[in-house]
Amino acid sequence: MLAADEKRLILLTWNKTKTYFPHFDLRPDSKHIRWHGKKVVAALGDAVRHIDNISEALSALSNLHVYSLRVDPVNFKLLCHCFQVVLAVHLADKYTPQVHLAYDKFLAAVSAVLTKKYR
């Protein structure tokens, strides 16, 4: 399945996946992953409920990520892509091109709010 070079690269980079969550169990169905996933989905739910003012809804979260956690802003874009994949899998036929485009714009707005204070 994996070539020797690919295995070596994975082994060398695996510890870097724990940059922000060194204490997390990263295995599938981990309670840590589920707990953090619920927090992420709750934040996105806040953004949906305040869709006309996403900036205000996510202001505290933005401050936390910028000033306390110092999360690399590229992670927000990656999270948006991951969320799109999850939506596509779970919504199946209901994930139409129009729904995809709407979520793409919404998640881009969320990402922009979360990265704005980095500038």
Side-chain angles (χ1 to χ4, degrees):
M1 180 171 112
L2 293 171
D5 285 346
E6 294 166 329
K7 290 178 186 177
R8 183 183 55 77
L9 289 172
I10 289 169
L11 291 171
L12 288 172
T13 59
W14 177 248
N15 285 336
K16 293 181 182 187
T17 65
K18 291 190 156 205
T19 300
Y20 299 112
F21 305 105
H23 58 290
F24 272 29
D25 171 7
L26 296 178
R27 291 177 292 182
D29 254 0
S30 155
K31 68 177 181 177
H32 295 125
I33 300 296
R34 288 181 168 283
W35 172 78
H36 192 260
K38 286 178 184 178
K39 288 175 63 174
V40 169
V41 170
L44 287 173
D46 285 344
V48 169
R49 282 187 295 283
H50 299 94
I51 203 159
D52 290 324
N53 197 351
I54 295 171
S55 184
E56 185 178 318
L58 298 181
S59 180
L61 187 62
S62 177
N63 287 339
L64 175 69
H65 283 85
V66 172
Y67 302 119
S68 297
L69 302 175
R70 299 185 181 181
V71 173
D72 185 339
V74 75
N75 288 311
F76 300 116
K77 187 174 182 180
L78 294 172
L79 177 64
C80 292
H81 289 297
C82 291
F83 198 72
Q84 290 273 29
V85 170
V86 170
L87 287 170
V89 168
H90 287 282
L91 294 178
D93 293 345
K94 293 178 181 142
Y95 194 68
T96 64
Q98 293 81 7
V99 172
H100 182 171
L101 181 59
Y103 267 100
D104 195 46
K105 289 180 179 181
F106 168 71
L107 292 170
V110 167
S111 183
V113 165
L114 293 174
T115 60
K116 183 178 181 178
K117 294 176 183 175
Y118 283 87
R119 298 178 189 123

